Amino acid sequence: MNALVDNGDAAGLAGAGPSLGEAEFAFLREFVLQHCGISLGDHKRQLVQGRLLRRLRALGLAGFADYCDLLRRDPDAELGELASCISTNVTSFFREMHHYDLLVDELLPRWLEEKRGGRLRIWSAGCSTGEEPYAIAMVLAEALERSGAGIDAKILATDLSPQALAAARKGVYPIDRLGGVSDARRKRWFLRGEGSFDGFVQVHPRVRELVTIQPLNLLHDWPMQGRFDAIFCRNVVIYFDKPTKQRLFARYAGKLEERGYLFLGHSESMYGLSDDFDLIGRTVYRKRP
Ligand SMILES: C[S@@+](CC[C@H](N)C(=O)[O-])C[C@H]1O[C@@H](n2cnc3c(N)ncnc32)[C@H](O)[C@@H]1O
């Protein structure tokens, strides 16, 4: 997970409330490692404290010991909120454009040709607020239109953060978030808000209908049936520890079609972590036959 990027808020809050003791920090570290796959270094204590103070206030808790009790009582209920506090949901439309170029120039034309009458499935795992799956859906909608192929095509978008998923479901964004979107796509795939939505856009229904949004912790069981032609898991595993990454990549291999594709984020790599994939482009892997 792209966890604990210090954006300055922690420093501002630390000292303005209860402090995170050693025992509670040790519990939280173990909890986060087990349930989110993130290993928090010793030096992250202040930062964790700052991030979680907001959550303590929202829950009306007096201190971190109460928060740890709450996690012990019902780990699953609070997990998404905890993960949201300690991770960043930073994302954008058409982030790492070279992945979309590969989709548009090579993969989508091939899939749509080969799969006439069949199904195409893409998974955005760690979709955050939705920009990634919607951008994939835009290029998919364009390719479907061009090819005229009758294909059952769908994108599954999952994340464990309840706030991120709620934003993804709305599909409403401030106009200044469209930096990576071409003029043609802005016109084609976004509806401009009016009145109280002035300054916002909503993703076009044609794009939204291609995307199914579901909560899912990647470390838990996966209820999905069937395999995917491509999995985007970008900027998610960066702070996972090594065994968690190894397990996850092995599970992705099991969930991909023969010669299916796995896309990682710009600073992520599978080097030394899996023998199931060949590197075929910049942070793009293909499952070995
Ligand atoms: C930095 S965002 C990346 C968003 C998008 N993939 C991109 O590259 O722009 C990382 C996302 O991964 C999600 N995430 C982290 N750990 C996860 C886990 N164990 N299960 C599901 N989602 C997770 C976070 O909630 C966050 O929304």
Side-chain angles (χ1 to χ4, degrees):
M1 178 184 293
N2 237 352
L4 290 169
V5 173
D6 189 350
N7 53 19
D9 59 349
L13 284 164
S19 54
L20 176 59
E22 216 164 287
E24 285 88 32
F25 184 51
F27 170 80
L28 283 170
R29 281 177 75 175
E30 185 54 34
F31 186 92
V32 167
L33 182 62
Q34 248 185 45
H35 293 271
C36 310
I38 302 165
S39 62
L40 296 171
D42 268 334
H43 59 293
K44 295 284 166 79
R45 185 151 133 202
Q46 277 292 98
L47 207 54
V48 172
Q49 175 180 309
R51 291 288 176 88
L52 286 180
L53 273 176
R54 267 193 225 127
R55 187 67 194 139
L56 257 62
R57 288 190 187 122
L59 290 165
L61 297 176
F64 285 94
D66 296 337
Y67 189 66
C68 293
D69 284 345
L70 185 143
L71 291 174
R72 279 188 200 98
R73 273 199 310 275
D74 193 355
D76 288 340
E78 179 60 15
L79 187 55
E81 296 288 348
L82 170 63
S84 292
C85 289
I86 59 166
S87 72
T88 164
N89 299 121
V90 169
T91 184
S92 57
F93 287 103
F94 296 99
R95 183 182 198 182
E96 298 172 53
M97 190 63 191
H98 56 103
H99 289 162
Y100 296 90
D101 291 340
L102 182 69
L103 275 180
V104 171
D105 297 339
E106 200 181 316
L107 302 185
L108 284 169
R110 187 188 337 134
W111 286 330
L112 297 191
E113 187 54 39
E114 285 172 3
K115 289 172 176 288
R116 283 181 181 271
R119 65 197 277 287
L120 173 67
R121 292 289 182 269
I122 298 175
W123 179 14
S124 165
C127 66
S128 188
T129 39
E131 288 88 333
E132 176 180 281
Y134 288 137
I136 300 169
M138 285 172 208
V139 298
L140 173 58
E142 291 162 10
L144 284 168
E145 226 173 62
R146 270 196 304 274
S147 83
I151 281 180
D152 165 21
K154 285 202 171 66
I155 297 159
L156 173 68
T158 64
D159 203 285
L160 96 172
S161 158
Q163 290 95 336
L165 289 168
R169 286 205 181 91
K170 280 194 193 128
V172 173
Y173 303 93
I175 288 184
D176 62 15
R177 294 277 289 278
L178 301 191
V181 186
S182 67
D183 285 345
R185 287 190 174 125
R186 284 180 189 219
K187 283 199 191 101
R188 185 75 208 280
W189 298 125
F190 292 91
L191 308 172
R192 281 187 90 101
E194 288 171 359
S196 58
F197 283 102
D198 192 30
F200 290 84
V201 289
Q202 184 167 39
V203 176
H204 194 283
R206 169 66 189 132
V207 171
R208 297 174 68 192
E209 74 187 9
L210 291 170
V211 179
T212 304
I213 297 166
Q214 296 286 349
L216 182 75
N217 184 340
L218 291 169
L219 272 56
H220 290 176
D221 289 341
W222 299 347
M224 305 86 79
Q225 309 287 322
R227 294 184 179 205
F228 295 90
D229 298 284
I231 298 174
F232 283 69
C233 183
R234 306 186 308 163
N235 308 298
V236 176
V237 303
I238 184 163
Y239 289 96
F240 284 6
D241 66 342
K242 191 174 169 186
T244 304
K245 285 189 213 177
Q246 284 172 320
R247 274 196 302 276
L248 187 63
F249 292 148
R251 292 177 80 195
Y252 281 153
K255 265 289 166 199
L256 278 169
E257 295 282 9
E258 279 311 302
R259 301 177 75 77
Y261 293 82
L262 178 62
F263 294 80
L264 297 183
H266 60 282
S267 56
E268 296 163 331
S269 154
M270 213 178 272
Y271 183 76
L273 296 170
S274 170
D275 294 327
D276 294 325
F277 294 89
D278 291 312
L279 180 65
I280 60 126
R282 190 145 50 108
T283 53
V284 184
Y285 295 82
R286 189 171 52 207
K287 182 174 153 178
R288 287 196 174 142

